[in-house]
Amino acid sequence: MGSPRWKRLCLLVLLGLAFSVLFYGHYYGAESPTSPRLPQQETLQLPQAELPQDARSHHLVGERVNQTKDSSKEESPHHHKEKSSLCPWSLKSKVKNDPTFGKQFDFDGPVLMWNRHFTPETWKKLKERSVPYGWRGLPHSVISSTLQLLSNAANIRLLNETTSPDGCVRCAVVGNGGILNGSHQGKEIDAHDFVFRLNGAVIKGFEADVGTKISFYGFTVNTMKNSLIAYAEYGFTQIPQAKDIRYIFIPSDKRDYLMLKSAILGIPVPEGYDKGDKPQKYFGSNTSAEKFKLLHPEFMYYLTERFLKSEIINSQFGHLYMPSTGAIMLLTALHTCDQLSAFGFITDSYRTFSDHYYDHEKKPLVFYTNHDMLLEPELWKSLHRAGIMKLYQR
């Protein structure tokens, strides 16, 4: 049978061997080269079907996110974005809660272009896009010499601080549609903190319908000059001028940059289509850089891609297409104001009214190939239905 001491010794040896086998198997089983391993860094990629439609259609989302990150470094201490609103009823909150528009709006990108945006990276990117979405074919010297003049704090953001007790900035954008004739909306329009007008903004004789207040006048040099010619017989013989008016340039061509530069410097346009023209006759003699705003080409690209990407782009007239001046002003206000009302824009009843509120006799609305005047009113109607803006209708 053996002694008890021997039995205990054998038992201890057996236990030791069993423990060694278990330890050896566990250790080398975990670290064996033949065992499957997870990579040290793994990138999560969503399939295309799981991305929002806007992100699948365009690369704009990623571009604007990267741009925001880069801009936060390059533009300190003056941030390029509009200041955050303290308004408890801002349209931004309604946008955020809307399942459709919440994906389309991006309030983080720059609205205005100014000197700190003109970096080598920006030039390289935008020179690949045609105007108004970039600078393809435009001389570097023209762009740089114009943008270096936009260094005032007033060139960075569109709106000043509001004096409203609730902190809400209320804006009105006034189009020139015939729906305003006999509307008696003048007092309602003038009650807003800021009023945007554009192109042939005739006021004299129509004060009761369209008001008199002007905070911003938006245009391209082409639409401004065409308006002075086309609507002179209706009383539009001068661009609105006043101490508090600010001018919003839409960068649709080289001539917009040249006119803007000449206006700030107070000199005749040095070259191009408008050579020798004197900006003072349009904007007055007492102009400085703070009087002028320039929309960012990236903002123009974003507005078109997200909101007004018309089928015209794919037609033979695609190179001519861009949103109308009224649409650009309305979308600009939507990205900078807390509450917005639109007057004089196309509605479902547009056939009832004349083309313009100042027409001497009724004229049908004219549809041009460079704008999509059917797509735009659908957008306004949708924004009105969602409660994001108020569209005047009758």
Side-chain angles (χ1 to χ4, degrees):
M1 296 288 297
S3 67
R5 183 176 179 184
W6 173 250
K7 291 180 179 179
R8 285 197 299 272
L9 181 61
C10 290
L11 181 61
L12 289 172
V13 171
L14 289 173
L15 287 173
L17 288 172
F19 179 79
S20 298
V21 169
L22 287 173
F23 178 80
Y24 183 93
H26 172 75
Y27 181 82
Y28 283 95
E31 294 295 328
S32 171
T34 60
S35 300
R37 292 187 182 186
L38 290 175
Q40 292 180 341
Q41 293 182 346
E42 191 160 340
T43 303
L44 179 63
Q45 294 182 339
L46 293 176
Q48 280 285 74
E50 295 179 25
L51 288 172
Q53 180 63 42
D54 289 329
R56 295 201 304 271
S57 301
H58 322 300
H59 300 294
L60 188 61
V61 176
E63 289 179 5
R64 288 173 70 81
V65 169
N66 292 334
Q67 180 186 52
T68 302
K69 291 179 180 179
D70 294 341
S71 298
S72 64
K73 296 178 181 179
E74 74 182 45
E75 293 178 9
S76 180
H78 301 294
H79 203 276
H80 71 276
K81 294 190 295 181
E82 297 290 320
K83 287 186 176 180
S84 298
S85 172
L86 300 177
C87 176
W89 303 286
S90 175
L91 62 85
K92 291 182 181 180
S93 60
K94 295 180 180 179
V95 167
K96 182 179 179 180
N97 295 324
D98 188 275
T100 299
F101 288 115
K103 297 177 182 178
Q104 285 183 263
F105 275 81
D106 177 7
F107 294 105
D108 290 330
V111 173
L112 300 180
M113 188 81 185
W114 61 298
N115 70 331
R116 294 286 289 276
H117 283 156
F118 192 63
T119 64
E121 293 75 21
T122 302
W123 168 256
K124 182 178 179 181
K125 178 181 180 180
L126 294 186
K127 74 175 184 177
E128 300 301 321
R129 293 192 197 141
S130 59
V131 289
Y133 315 113
W135 298 322
R136 184 189 299 161
L138 303 187
H140 183 280
S141 59
V142 170
I143 302 301
S144 61
S145 62
T146 301
L147 295 183
Q148 72 179 3
L149 300 174
L150 299 176
S151 58
N152 193 288
N155 307 133
I156 301 172
R157 57 181 59 88
L158 195 66
L159 304 177
N160 299 322
E161 299 291 338
T162 179
T163 57
S164 301
D166 59 2
C168 297
V169 177
R170 296 173 174 85
C171 300
V173 181
V174 185
N176 303 320
I179 192 174
L180 286 177
N181 191 298
S183 65
H184 304 289
Q185 293 298 301
K187 289 184 179 180
E188 175 71 17
I189 290 170
D190 287 347
H192 290 78
D193 297 313
F194 298 98
V195 178
F196 295 70
R197 299 183 192 268
L198 52 116
N199 294 344
V202 178
I203 289 179
K204 188 176 181 181
F206 298 93
E207 293 88 348
D209 293 333
V210 303
T212 60
K213 189 173 184 177
I214 309 177
S215 309
F216 299 100
Y217 177 76
F219 60 97
T220 69
V221 171
N222 184 58
T223 62
M224 177 186 74
K225 290 195 168 187
N226 285 346
S227 295
L228 287 169
I229 296 171
Y231 309 125
E233 62 177 301
Y234 304 108
F236 191 72
T237 58
Q238 176 61 61
I239 301 301
Q241 294 183 11
K243 179 182 178 181
D244 296 329
I245 291 179
R246 298 295 182 261
Y247 300 102
I248 302 177
F249 274 77
I250 300 172
S252 69
D253 201 351
K254 174 183 175 181
R255 63 193 302 202
D256 296 291
Y257 291 94
L258 290 170
M259 180 67 76
L260 174 56
K261 175 183 175 181
S262 298
I264 295 173
L265 296 177
I267 61 173
V269 178
E271 60 177 288
Y273 190 84
D274 305 295
K275 183 177 180 179
D277 204 359
K278 297 180 179 179
Q280 295 90 331
K281 70 181 181 182
Y282 306 114
F283 313 112
S285 57
N286 297 321
T287 58
S288 60
E290 66 181 12
K291 293 278 287 184
F292 301 100
K293 318 281 186 178
L294 176 66
L295 293 184
H296 201 302
E298 189 72 34
F299 182 64
M300 295 289 296
Y301 180 73
Y302 153 75
L303 295 185
T304 303
E305 288 287 296
R306 292 286 187 90
F307 298 97
L308 293 170
K309 192 168 185 178
S310 171
E311 293 181 358
I312 296 175
I313 295 174
N314 299 318
S315 73
Q316 59 179 319
F317 305 107
H319 64 288
L320 299 174
Y321 175 76
M322 66 180 286
S324 69
T325 307
I328 293 169
M329 286 299 100
L330 193 48
L331 287 166
T332 298
L334 277 165
H335 284 77
T336 52
C337 302
D338 293 317
Q339 296 175 11
L340 180 64
S341 298
F343 301 85
F345 284 80
I346 300 174
T347 65
D348 288 340
S349 60
Y350 74 89
R351 292 183 181 86
T352 306
F353 309 102
S354 187
D355 191 358
H356 304 103
Y357 62 80
Y358 41 77
D359 290 335
H360 298 320
E361 55 186 43
K362 185 177 178 181
K363 297 180 179 180
L365 180 64
V366 178
F367 291 85
Y368 296 98
T369 55
N370 61 329
H371 304 313
D372 194 330
M373 304 308 285
L374 294 177
L375 179 62
E376 291 183 8
E378 285 301 313
L379 176 59
W380 315 146
K381 188 164 61 175
S382 297
L383 288 164
H384 175 80
R385 241 186 343 248
I388 294 170
M389 76 173 198
K390 180 182 177 182
L391 177 65
Y392 174 70
Q393 305 176 76
R394 58 191 282 217

